[in-house]
Amino acid sequence: MIEILDSTLREGEQTPYVNFLVEEKLEIARLLDLVGVEMIEAGDPSVSPKVAEAVKKIAELGLRAEIVAHSLARRENIQRARDCGAQRVAIFYPTSSIHLDVKLRKTPQEVIDIISEHVAYARSLGLKVRYTPEDASRTDLEFLIQACNAAIQAGADRISFADTVGILKPDEVFERISTLRQHLLPCAIDLHLHNDHGLALANAMAGIRAGANCIHTTVNGMGERCGIPDLAEVIMVYHNLEGVQKYRLPPLMALVDYVEKVSGFFAAPNKPVTGQNAFSHKSGVHTNGVLKDPRTYEPFDPALLGRERKIVIDKYTGKSAVLARLAEYGVEVRPDELEQILIEIKNLGDHRKQIFDADILDIAERVTGRAIDIIPREIEAMIMLEVESHVYTTSVVRRLRSFRNVKSLFEISGEFDVSAMVSVENVMALNNLIEEIRRLPGVKRTETRLILKKYPSNGKVSSPSGPALERN
Ligand code: HCA
Ligand code: CU
């Protein structure tokens, strides 16, 4: 069995240019609690007054998750953690020689004394204590054991093994955690593993197999540099591959969407589990298989996450995908017509980055000679925004970039400040999107124009963000 500590609000906020408002942190904490993570690392109250306020308000929410405050080994900082009402303080102090010799200039004995003193102090304030040997992965193993046992003796019941610079491999994590398990006094072991070599999740799994208890995560794997394991990936790996089904999957996407929106930090489309493309199929061979039985090319049912599979239609498409897409619109075609429609789709696809349903319906209409009076589900629109005069336009743009439906953005001159090209499934989705954009801090008003028809500017291939309807 595993436990999860999510640190989106602490490690995640250490992502360059990511800063949450207090209200946003409360909402993230609520969503994390719905998912069911065991611990929420809510922040280091000594970073700033607002971070302290957020930790305090999260502690007051009365969530099921244990609320953890992060802290340097300093008495006044630990006191602040207590004053915020956190149930646990996570005290970090490095143990590797590079940190001790270069950064702190401390002898091993001084380190042991500092750790013991501050853990004991936190305990005396009534806090549960986790001790993190920062840079544990580059620490002499014997000294690491000594430092951790000093912390446990002083009252810590958790040790967080930190691969602070992400340099370990799974077999090394396995060995280290096995050794710690043998030599540490009774305690829970957390794994805080940075992803600098893309091994964080594999390392976490190895650590758990070796006897560690808890994995630290963030939404979208945010954090310093390349971050730490992604919450949704950890949950799905354990759910699908290790039979651990104690976390609630449905709120995960809402959490990811919300964090993307308020952080302006959005995942690559090919990110596992929550990425835009995770359940999209493109080549004729793949889509043909998926349409017969999705298990042919899907590792698990997207419905587990409340997601839908998507068939992408372009030059790689095969007949079955086109037939299925037309059928969705209630359009029936004969085999010879289908043949011709496919040829035309491939021709168009050779000159375009993206093909819309409008194009497919257009081609079908032309090839069959029958009028198809259907509005495609995807519609394109241009939303123009006026930004409040005291607000940086770029801050609004940054937030807009996190909306999945926003395809391109322009800062413009004149009456409006920003123009956003959006592509949505239907008018209702467009209305919702406009509402959301209007609610963004700093947005004064919006005006929306539906795109009726698009032309390439010079007959050349259109840009990825502005695929054109090449009619006539
Ligand atoms: C840091 C500290 C830390 C602490 C991890 C933990 C790390 O260097 O910013 O307390 O579990 O990576 O060592 O995030
Ligand atoms: Cu870290």
Side-chain angles (χ1 to χ4, degrees):
M1 204 42 103
I2 56 159
E3 292 173 324
I4 292 178
L5 171 142
D6 189 89
S7 188
T8 303
L9 301 177
R10 198 280 297 171
E11 178 79 53
E13 207 183 37
Q14 288 178 225
T15 308
Y17 316 119
V18 168
N19 287 291
F20 301 111
L21 303 173
V22 173
E23 279 309 312
E24 294 167 349
K25 287 188 176 178
L26 292 178
E27 182 60 14
I28 292 170
R30 281 189 207 102
L31 288 164
L32 284 168
D33 206 47
L34 284 182
V35 170
V37 301
E38 281 81 2
M39 287 172 273
I40 295 174
E41 199 161 72
D44 176 342
S46 300
V47 165
S48 78
K50 283 289 173 194
V51 173
E53 184 186 327
V55 177
K56 188 161 188 288
K57 287 190 165 156
I58 290 169
E60 282 165 2
L61 287 177
L63 303 176
R64 274 178 309 177
E66 183 175 271
I67 305 305
V68 182
H70 212 239
S71 176
L72 290 170
R74 286 201 198 125
R75 282 185 176 235
E76 63 270 29
N77 294 28
I78 294 169
Q79 220 164 27
R80 266 184 222 116
R82 196 271 316 263
D83 293 345
C84 286
Q87 287 143 287
R88 172 182 294 277
V89 65
I91 301 171
F92 69 112
Y93 199 87
T95 44
S96 66
S97 54
I98 177 152
H99 278 246
L100 299 181
D101 300 345
V102 180
K103 194 173 85 176
L104 299 172
R105 297 180 193 280
K106 296 278 184 222
T107 66
Q109 191 51 51
E110 284 172 322
V111 172
I112 300 285
D113 291 345
I114 290 168
I115 294 167
S116 305
E117 181 206 326
H118 289 90
V119 170
Y121 176 67
R123 291 293 296 142
S124 76
L125 297 181
L127 289 160
K128 291 194 213 169
V129 181
R130 177 183 100 212
Y131 164 62
T132 300
E134 191 190 15
D135 207 18
S137 51
R138 291 190 296 187
T139 300
D140 168 73
L141 206 46
E142 224 171 279
F143 183 59
L144 183 63
I145 292 164
Q146 209 188 333
C148 292
N149 277 338
I152 298 166
Q153 261 164 348
D157 64 351
R158 268 183 192 274
I159 297 295
S160 172
F161 178 86
D163 184 12
T164 304
V165 291
I167 40 123
L168 291 183
K169 296 185 283 182
D171 53 333
E172 292 166 335
V173 174
F174 187 88
E175 250 174 59
R176 289 217 150 206
I177 298 298
S178 305
T179 310
L180 287 180
R181 257 290 161 251
Q182 269 172 24
H183 297 280
L184 290 193
L185 299 167
C187 69
I189 299 181
D190 288 19
L191 298 161
H192 183 94
L193 306 169
H194 276 265
N195 201 28
D196 296 72
H197 287 90
L199 289 171
L201 175 50
N203 283 345
M205 295 181 77
I208 292 293
R209 238 177 299 129
N213 307 87
C214 172
I215 301 176
H216 289 194
T217 65
T218 55
V219 172
N220 278 344
M222 293 197 292
E224 293 274 354
R225 305 184 310 282
C226 318
I228 64 173
D230 166 58
L231 173 69
E233 288 175 30
V234 169
I235 288 181
M236 284 322 281
V237 159
Y238 277 91
H239 183 280
N240 291 340
L241 311 179
E242 300 281 324
V244 177
Q245 310 197 329
K246 64 173 163 167
Y247 299 104
R248 278 176 294 284
L249 309 179
L252 265 177
M253 287 312 296
L255 171 64
V256 173
D257 286 346
Y258 184 72
V259 170
E260 288 197 339
K261 198 169 93 181
V262 297
S263 66
F265 178 94
F266 40 97
N270 66 343
K271 188 193 160 300
V273 182
T274 54
Q276 225 172 330
N277 294 353
F279 305 100
S280 294
H281 308 279
K282 174 160 157 168
S283 90
V285 174
H286 283 227
T287 52
N288 184 34
V290 166
L291 287 166
K292 287 181 177 138
D293 185 337
R295 288 174 304 178
T296 50
Y297 287 102
E298 273 174 11
F300 59 92
D301 188 348
L304 272 180
L305 291 158
R307 299 194 62 183
E308 284 176 2
R309 76 182 49 91
K310 193 170 169 201
I311 305 285
V312 176
I313 296 212
D314 67 8
K315 66 173 183 285
Y316 278 85
T317 299
K319 275 187 231 167
S320 51
V322 177
L323 199 61
R325 182 64 55 89
L326 288 172
E328 281 174 37
Y329 285 110
V331 176
E332 284 177 19
V333 292
R334 297 192 309 267
D336 59 316
E337 291 169 338
L338 180 62
E339 207 73 62
Q340 187 56 31
I341 291 169
L342 188 65
I343 290 171
E344 296 215 12
I345 286 176
K346 282 176 180 284
N347 282 341
L348 186 57
D350 265 339
H351 300 283
R352 282 272 208 88
K353 299 279 187 193
Q354 197 179 340
I355 292 180
F356 287 91
D357 284 2
D359 302 316
I360 300 164
L361 293 170
D362 216 34
I363 291 172
E365 189 168 64
R366 195 150 20 81
V367 168
T368 61
R370 296 190 291 277
I372 297 175
D373 190 17
I374 290 166
I375 300 167
R377 276 171 315 194
E378 289 155 343
I379 49 178
E380 280 190 282
M382 187 193 301
I383 305 178
M384 287 170 305
L385 292 81
E386 192 187 347
V387 173
E388 304 273 6
S389 55
H390 62 278
V391 171
Y392 282 115
T393 305
T394 43
S395 74
V396 174
V397 168
R398 191 163 50 243
R399 282 167 191 271
L400 286 169
R401 289 184 66 202
S402 66
F403 285 76
R404 289 214 167 117
N405 295 319
V406 173
K407 298 301 171 196
S408 57
L409 282 162
F410 308 92
E411 282 191 31
I412 53 176
S413 63
E415 205 185 329
F416 291 95
D417 303 294
V418 180
S419 157
M421 291 295 301
V422 305
S423 151
V424 285
E425 292 218 322
N426 50 40
V427 176
M428 202 164 71
L430 180 62
N431 273 333
N432 292 340
L433 182 62
I434 293 168
E435 281 303 312
E436 271 195 68
I437 288 177
R438 283 195 180 145
R439 280 201 297 270
L440 287 180
V443 173
K444 197 168 167 192
R445 70 184 177 112
T446 67
E447 229 178 84
T448 301
R449 304 265 188 276
L450 279 187
I451 307 289
L452 302 176
K453 223 174 187 187
K454 282 175 71 178
Y455 300 92
S457 54
N458 52 12
K460 288 192 185 151
V461 181
S462 58
S463 74
S465 52
L469 285 174
E470 289 164 340
R471 298 184 202 217
N472 306 326

